[in-house]
Amino acid sequence: MQRVLTADPSDRVIVFTEFRDTQTYLADILNARGLGGDKLELLYGGMDPKRRDAVKLAFQAAPHRTPVRILLATDSASEGIDLQNYCHRIINYDIPFNPNRLEQRIGRVDRHGQRFPVDVAHFVGTDWENAEAKSFKGDLEFLSRVAVKVATERADLGSINPVLAAAVEAQLLGRPMLVDPLEVKQKPSASMLKAEQDVRAHTQRLRKQLSLSERRLHVSPVNVRRVVDVGLAMAEQQPLVDLSGGQVEVPDLKRGWERTVTGLEDPLDHVRRPVVFDGTLLEGRDDSAVHAHLEHPLVSQCARLLRSAMWQGHSKLHRVSAVTVTLPEDCGITGVLAVAYARLVVVGADGRRLHEEIMPVARAVPASGRSRAVDLGQLRKNPREDDIKARLRRALEDGFAPDACREAPAAALAPGPRRVPGSSRSGVLISVVGPGSR
């Protein structure tokens, strides 16, 4: 470790051991060698959860933010946590009899986001090559070869050979081994390859479905930001402040909104972090900002306030809006298209919302002549009509997008007669939202 940290002071190392007493012993040695102090942290079973989270965050943070370089961890404390951000070196001070434990140790750093090949080291006794069978040195030498086998198989196939666990138990208990696990050459079978292909195809389908849902529901970063801006304005809170790189500073909120910024403080220096509405901006970075997603307290609070104001009828929101949109040429609409949006909510006996749907009802109002109803409801498996209907609904939704919807100038809001602009491809969309819509 002295050699590694001397060559690269920002490098990090994890030392695994099974026992708490051994961990304390190693900590004393490292402190005596000048590798302790703020460079060293310990993870062990039974420690305070908040302290455990603080150690994990310090080890996962960028090297310039924290001096921690060495982590002494027991198996019970390190299960289920990620430590791969800035560490790819593992030292097994002792080798557990169960190879699955070895795999779990390696899995703390050999996971998504790791940028370097994982380096795993362990100890063996002196003259281990000539150790007698069934002796302590012989068993230690056998375990060392198992450790190498586990690391190799994980690198090649992603998981250990299931034969290893039973073979180690047989070796250490003096039972006969029917198969030498160290000589087994596991090859990806046809079923494994098919399963991998199925998982890849399923992942692609889920990604495509997610993208489609985001487009249909308009769950874009700019729309989420728009909801927060409107919600803060309605609650008479200070507005967000734009920073560089897509980051946004959340001001000091009041009157019960303080809880919506819980979690913005950096756990290391307790400085309030900015938020981003686009999660892709945080890829490859540490926790210098917080993603304001749909379930974030601030976004959820603004969405609830806005939803309540839209549908309960007691707010200062303008329920009627008029925008100019580009409609499909073959929809046959010129002039004004009036659309009323209603909300259908199905609630269970326990008050939990089971279903919610926004239903548009439209009517085309030409410059002369009678108006006519326009069907914007469910698709009816008529390819041509469904295609027109889908494109028309998409055009209406795009007309209210943040980058397309602008506040009208004061002159346009002055009272007096209006000429409705219209052609074969454009028209005025009048939207009515809220209770009492006709």
Side-chain angles (χ1 to χ4, degrees):
M1 284 189 288
Q2 285 180 327
R3 182 172 63 253
V4 168
L5 297 180
T6 301
D8 185 0
S10 65
D11 210 343
R12 285 176 173 158
V13 181
I14 303 176
V15 181
F16 279 109
T17 180
E18 289 191 277
F19 307 105
R20 177 79 171 104
D21 290 341
T22 306
Q23 185 187 51
T24 304
Y25 165 75
L26 294 176
D28 292 340
I29 294 178
L30 292 175
N31 279 304
R33 296 292 184 91
L35 297 176
D38 57 2
K39 298 180 182 178
L40 177 66
E41 286 289 357
L42 277 65
L43 275 179
Y44 52 88
M47 67 186 305
D48 181 72
K50 292 184 178 180
R51 174 59 183 164
R52 180 176 181 268
D53 292 340
V55 171
K56 173 191 170 183
L57 290 171
F59 195 77
Q60 283 281 78
H64 71 274
R65 301 190 60 208
T66 172
V68 179
R69 297 295 180 265
I70 302 173
L71 181 65
L72 291 179
T74 61
D75 292 317
S76 60
S78 59
E79 293 179 355
I81 64 176
D82 301 338
L83 300 171
Q84 79 281 8
N85 280 3
Y86 298 95
C87 177
H88 65 283
R89 302 182 187 277
I90 290 179
I91 297 177
N92 293 308
Y93 183 79
D94 44 29
I95 303 176
F97 293 161
N98 188 348
N100 292 311
R101 287 290 184 90
L102 286 172
E103 184 183 25
Q104 290 173 0
R105 291 178 176 182
I106 300 173
R108 298 308 98 217
V109 298
D110 187 14
R111 57 199 312 113
H112 178 71
Q114 179 59 258
R115 294 164 291 179
F116 302 96
V118 177
D119 184 11
V120 183
H122 57 273
F123 296 92
V124 294
T126 57
D127 197 28
W128 57 271
E129 300 95 332
N130 302 320
E132 296 181 3
K134 310 301 181 182
S135 65
F136 175 76
K137 287 186 178 180
D139 289 343
L140 188 60
E141 186 271 337
F142 176 79
L143 287 176
S144 70
R145 289 191 290 141
V146 170
V148 174
K149 184 72 173 179
V150 170
T152 303
E153 295 231 352
R154 183 175 180 88
D156 293 341
L157 301 177
S159 182
I160 65 171
N161 191 317
V163 177
L164 285 177
V168 170
E169 180 180 356
Q171 168 74 12
L172 298 180
L173 294 179
R175 299 172 182 172
M177 289 189 301
L178 301 179
V179 179
D180 185 355
L182 303 178
E183 300 299 328
V184 174
K185 303 296 183 182
Q186 184 172 350
K187 297 181 180 179
S189 62
S191 59
M192 290 178 60
L193 294 177
K194 184 178 184 303
E196 183 179 352
Q197 293 173 355
D198 292 343
V199 171
R200 185 181 297 109
H202 185 59
T203 303
Q204 292 175 350
R205 287 195 299 270
L206 291 177
R207 185 179 293 110
K208 183 178 180 180
Q209 182 179 354
L210 177 61
S211 300
L212 180 61
S213 298
E214 289 178 344
R215 289 196 301 270
R216 286 179 175 177
L217 299 177
H218 301 275
V219 186
S220 62
V222 65
N223 281 335
V224 177
R225 166 69 185 273
R226 189 182 188 185
V227 169
V228 175
D229 287 338
V230 174
L232 292 178
M234 292 177 58
E236 298 181 350
Q237 302 287 342
Q238 298 182 28
L240 301 176
V241 179
D242 288 301
L243 305 176
S244 61
Q247 297 185 352
V248 179
E249 180 182 352
V250 180
D252 292 331
L253 304 181
K254 54 186 178 180
R255 296 197 298 272
W257 282 68
E258 296 86 353
R259 61 180 181 82
T260 63
V261 296
T262 302
L264 292 186
E265 286 191 358
D266 191 299
L268 297 178
D269 53 23
H270 304 289
V271 175
R272 180 179 292 183
R273 295 171 291 181
V275 300
V276 295
F277 293 95
D278 187 356
T280 60
L281 298 177
L282 296 179
E283 295 180 358
R285 300 170 58 178
D286 58 2
D287 298 330
S288 58
V290 177
H291 182 201
H293 48 77
L294 291 179
E295 294 298 324
H296 189 276
L298 179 60
V299 179
S300 298
Q301 177 77 354
C302 292
R304 284 194 297 267
L305 179 61
L306 182 58
R307 181 169 57 243
S308 175
M310 289 177 62
W311 302 109
Q312 292 185 4
H314 303 289
S315 71
K316 299 178 182 179
L317 289 178
H318 298 291
R319 299 188 177 281
V320 180
S321 303
V323 296
T324 302
V325 299
T326 300
L327 303 177
E329 294 182 357
D330 50 357
C331 70
I333 299 176
T334 60
V336 174
L337 178 64
V339 183
Y341 290 93
R343 177 175 175 240
L344 172 65
V345 180
V346 179
V347 181
D350 58 353
R352 182 175 301 179
R353 186 183 299 114
L354 303 178
H355 177 77
E356 182 174 353
E357 183 177 353
I358 305 299
M359 300 181 298
V361 180
R363 197 165 189 89
V365 184
S368 61
R370 301 183 61 180
S371 64
R372 64 180 179 86
V374 177
D375 184 11
L376 296 176
Q378 298 294 327
L379 304 182
R380 306 183 184 279
K381 297 184 178 180
N382 184 314
R384 183 177 181 279
E385 293 182 2
D386 288 349
D387 177 66
I388 295 177
K389 188 185 301 183
R391 288 186 287 113
L392 179 58
R393 293 183 63 168
R394 188 162 53 247
L396 300 182
E397 294 170 353
D398 292 343
F400 286 100
D403 56 348
C405 187
R406 296 290 184 271
E407 186 176 356
L413 301 178
R418 288 286 176 274
R419 182 180 64 86
V420 177
S423 65
S424 61
R425 295 192 59 204
S426 65
V428 173
L429 167 63
I430 299 179
S431 173
V432 182
V433 181
S437 302
R438 296 293 191 269

